[in-house]
Amino acid sequence: DAGVIQSPRHEVTEMGQEVTLRCKPISGHNSLFWYRQTMMRGLELLIYFNNNVPIDDSGMPEDRFSAKMPNASFSTLKIQPSEPRDSAVYFCASSRGQGDEKLFFGSGTQLSVL
Amino acid sequence: SQQGEEDPQALSIQEGENATMNCSYKTSINNLQWYRQNSGRGLVHLILIRSNEREKHSGRLRVTLDTSKKSSSLLITASRAADTASYFCATSGTNDYKLSFGAGTTVTVRA
């Protein structure tokens, strides 16, 4: 099993640019999560999908952030336009069942917005 | 917002010693989980303990849960340099299935 795969591993962009982060969950997992990690705020849950449907997006900071899961094997997190305060490590995680089961995390995308 | 709060924030121990860290939470939970994060990597699941369980073991790890005190502890016995990492507790509430993570305990094991 390849695990949760995220791309890119690092992203450096300029303020105002669009950023798209990608995630491939583990095959057979029904739940997918996007988390953001910063020193100041720790790990924050941004959005949670179950069976490709967004269940809870209350953690999405503002309208500049959007997430999609067009099928069971792919999800994207988009920031448009990006701002320096969006700089963080973004993690994707998946789990077999409901959101409170064991999570498998990807290696993360280190985003720097200049 | 973070549900779990780990204590201490940082811990430095000698190889071979035991490391203990605690997690306190505010509301009733379905389960509590512990994760490890090595520098620059994603989180790795260590152990899950359900609200009706009091203690669980996995290799050199021992987790306890006291729901009356809303607290959990993670004990790493006979620590190794490879145990150097940040350790996070995560809880899911009884009314939802989201996992909320604490701020973590950074453990340094000195050779």
Side-chain angles (χ1 to χ4, degrees), chain B residues 17-21 60-61 74-79 83 87:
Chain B
E17 293 180 340
N18 296 341
T20 301
M21 60 211 85
R60 293 183 296 110
L61 305 180
L74 170 66
L75 168 68
I76 306 172
T77 60
S79 62
D83 295 327
Y87 293 81

Side-chain angles (χ1 to χ4, degrees), chain A:
Chain A
D1 194 333
V4 176
I5 299 172
Q6 289 187 247
S7 65
R9 189 79 173 88
H10 302 275
E11 176 81 35
V12 180
T13 191
E14 292 189 348
M15 183 173 64
Q17 295 298 306
E18 178 179 296
V19 175
T20 299
L21 311 181
R22 297 172 177 78
C23 175
K24 177 177 166 56
I26 293 173
S27 177
H29 281 193
N30 297 325
S31 295
L32 184 139
F33 309 79
W34 283 99
Y35 282 88
R36 178 172 67 176
Q37 186 177 37
T38 61
M39 289 294 292
M40 290 296 294
R41 301 171 71 93
L43 267 163
E44 302 173 278
L45 176 63
L46 300 178
I47 188 167
Y48 158 43
F49 291 89
N50 185 252
N51 292 323
N52 312 339
V53 175
I55 302 300
D56 187 338
D57 65 355
S58 59
M60 296 286 262
E62 45 198 276
D63 292 346
R64 298 184 298 107
F65 285 69
S66 63
K68 293 182 180 179
M69 191 163 186
N71 56 62
S73 59
F74 185 65
S75 177
T76 58
L77 178 67
K78 186 178 294 187
I79 309 172
Q80 165 64 17
S82 58
E83 297 182 2
R85 60 194 168 116
D86 301 331
S87 297
V89 181
Y90 290 81
F91 288 104
C92 175
S94 68
S95 70
R96 284 196 181 89
Q98 297 283 1
D100 64 341
E101 295 300 321
K102 172 181 175 180
L103 295 189
F104 293 78
F105 279 79
S107 297
T109 295
Q110 173 77 60
L111 174 65
S112 297
V113 183
L114 307 178

Side-chain angles (χ1 to χ4, degrees), chain A residues 100-102, chain B residues 31-35 45 47-48 88-90 99:
Chain A
D100 64 341
E101 295 300 321
K102 172 181 175 180
Chain B
N31 67 57
L32 185 144
Q33 303 180 38
W34 286 91
Y35 287 79
H45 181 268
I47 200 162
L48 181 154
F88 296 86
C89 70
L99 268 187

Side-chain angles (χ1 to χ4, degrees), chain B residues 63-77:
Chain B
V63 169
T64 62
L65 179 64
D66 186 335
T67 53
S68 67
K69 294 181 179 178
K70 292 186 169 59
S71 68
S72 172
S73 68
L74 170 66
L75 168 68
I76 306 172
T77 60

Side-chain angles (χ1 to χ4, degrees), chain B residues 41-58:
Chain B
R41 308 294 294 273
L43 281 76
V44 174
H45 181 268
L46 296 176
I47 200 162
L48 181 154
I49 187 165
R50 299 199 181 277
S51 58
N52 61 353
E53 296 175 311
R54 292 298 166 256
E55 187 170 313
K56 269 190 121 169
H57 297 256
S58 177

